[in-house]
Amino acid sequence: MKKCAFFCPSSIYVSEKVIKIGHFRRKSDSKVIQRYRCLHCKKSFSAATHSDLRGQNKRRCNTAVYRLVCSGVSQRRAAILLNINKITVVRKFRFMANKLGANGLLTKCTLPPEKVREIQFDHMETFEHTKLKPISILVVVDKTTRKILAAKACSSPAKGLLVEKSIKKYGKRQDDRMQVMKEAFREIAKVYPYIEKIESDKSPLYPQVIRDHFPTAKYKQYKGRRGCVTGQGELKSGGYDPLFSLNQTCAMFRANMNRLFRRSWCTTKKCADLNIHLSLYGHYHNSVLTKV
Ligand SMILES: [Zn+2]
């Protein structure tokens, strides 16, 4: 029995006081929608009144936008391909992230916690707006299935030759890498309590954080082959790669998110949107690309 959509007393006690009062054809997807009236509060409503898609004129494009931006298409090109406004694309991009629950710290993953025994992690480098404002992306993957457990971007200070220029132009840049790692590993340790082995490359930042959050796990660092950071050759052959799962996944991020392409004129304008994009891609990667 239909209940009043306006939470008037009838919606709690007398549900039979709602009657059908005809229907209409929704313009945006040609669906027939039933209208109702509550005889208690006299208000009318439809079957779609409380839908999370309410008010969307291009509702047919939601999934398409999601698939395209996770397949290396830029937001602007997605707008052209779908024949919709580029602002609509941005809106759908954020809407889908919310709808799929892809906005938490961890990436959505249906892997049962007891299956996650070995993980690998690293930082991937990119920038917002200019190379003088670098961003580090913490990527954590499950070694066996290559599913993404977490992918989170944060600001990091400029390195090498750019240090001086960066400070002069934009001031001292905040370094949030430690903070993000702590938060992410705290969550991961909570959600995946059976982790026995952790692998990463060599960085003085890592051992302490790992010891703090995974006191019983075995931790191993590998040197060299920093495939994820700079250079063109993340998947170049080079013999056995102990961090294969990780490097493979980083390469997939780079291949499927336009703003992370090696040569791209698309850049990140806001770190927050990069994070939304990362979790959207993570969702797509886990549910579609690495489906078993
Ligand atoms: Zn009512």
Side-chain angles (χ1 to χ4, degrees):
M1 193 70 215
K2 201 74 193 165
K3 282 183 178 177
C4 175
F6 294 100
F7 309 108
C8 75
S10 82
S11 64
I12 306 160
Y13 309 112
V14 265
S15 53
E16 66 271 25
K17 287 206 168 174
V18 171
I19 55 161
K20 286 183 181 177
I21 50 161
H23 51 74
F24 64 95
R25 189 177 287 273
R26 184 161 61 197
K27 220 170 149 191
S28 55
D29 64 349
S30 318
K31 233 184 178 170
V32 176
I33 312 288
Q34 180 69 48
R35 277 208 79 80
Y36 302 92
R37 186 190 305 284
C38 169
L39 295 180
H40 188 86
C41 65
K42 306 282 192 291
K43 284 179 183 162
S44 73
F45 56 93
S46 80
T49 295
H50 288 312
S51 156
D52 53 354
L53 294 160
R54 191 179 170 199
Q56 291 196 18
N57 291 324
K58 308 281 178 188
R59 58 183 76 214
R60 286 190 179 105
C61 297
N62 284 326
T63 333
V65 167
Y66 163 61
R67 286 179 183 156
L68 287 173
V69 297
C70 294
S71 308
V73 175
S74 69
Q75 292 189 1
R76 188 178 292 255
R77 182 58 63 86
I80 294 171
L81 287 174
L82 298 171
N83 198 16
I84 56 179
N85 195 291
K86 61 181 194 285
I87 297 168
T88 314
V89 172
V90 179
R91 219 178 278 137
K92 304 242 169 276
F93 171 77
R94 295 183 184 151
F95 170 79
M96 284 309 282
N98 263 321
K99 190 175 155 71
L100 299 171
N103 42 15
L105 183 57
L106 297 191
T107 309
K108 274 229 160 171
C109 181
T110 47
L111 220 54
E114 66 274 9
K115 285 262 168 84
V116 182
R117 302 277 169 152
E118 295 182 35
I119 62 169
Q120 301 184 332
F121 72 94
D122 195 9
H123 281 98
M124 215 167 36
E125 311 286 328
T126 180
F127 56 89
E128 55 180 328
H129 163 61
T130 145
K131 286 211 165 168
L132 298 176
K133 297 200 247 173
I135 287 180
S136 271
I137 306 170
L138 172 70
V139 179
V140 188
V141 301
D142 174 54
K143 188 181 175 180
T144 4
T145 58
R146 271 189 275 131
K147 294 211 186 272
I148 297 163
L149 304 181
K152 187 87 182 162
C154 66
S155 72
S156 69
K159 278 191 242 173
L161 299 169
L162 295 173
V163 175
E164 225 169 274
K165 220 172 156 191
S166 166
I167 291 177
K168 205 170 148 198
K169 202 159 180 192
Y170 298 103
K172 195 167 185 297
R173 191 163 165 79
Q174 215 171 318
D175 186 356
D176 293 332
R177 284 176 296 177
M178 223 34 195
Q179 165 110 27
V180 164
M181 260 201 293
K182 280 180 188 163
E183 280 169 22
F185 286 134
R186 193 184 311 131
E187 284 290 303
I188 289 178
K190 222 189 287 167
V191 180
Y192 306 104
Y194 300 99
I195 292 172
E196 294 158 351
K197 197 174 172 195
I198 301 166
E199 293 169 313
S200 76
D201 56 14
K202 274 217 158 74
S203 164
L205 285 176
Y206 300 157
Q208 188 59 49
V209 193
I210 296 299
R211 235 175 290 135
D212 289 349
H213 293 92
F214 305 94
T216 54
K218 229 165 71 189
Y219 178 50
K220 193 160 176 167
Q221 287 189 320
Y222 297 94
K223 66 167 183 218
R225 260 201 90 107
R226 284 193 63 91
C228 293
V229 184
T230 41
Q232 313 289 319
E234 36 226 315
L235 286 180
K236 269 185 193 155
S237 58
Y240 174 71
D241 179 9
L243 297 174
F244 174 78
S245 297
L246 179 79
N247 289 330
Q248 161 80 10
T249 306
C250 288
M252 285 189 74
F253 270 112
R254 291 232 185 256
N256 290 301
M257 284 173 63
N258 192 297
R259 62 177 94 196
L260 298 179
F261 284 7
R262 286 293 182 193
R263 288 189 184 194
S264 175
W265 43 54
C266 296
T267 59
T268 294
K269 305 292 185 304
K270 285 187 200 143
C271 197
D273 275 345
L274 169 59
N275 268 324
I276 296 178
H277 202 168
L278 285 170
S279 22
L280 263 186
Y281 175 72
H283 192 280
Y284 191 70
H285 180 97
N286 288 350
S287 60
V288 181
L289 300 180
T290 56
K291 209 163 108 188
V292 269

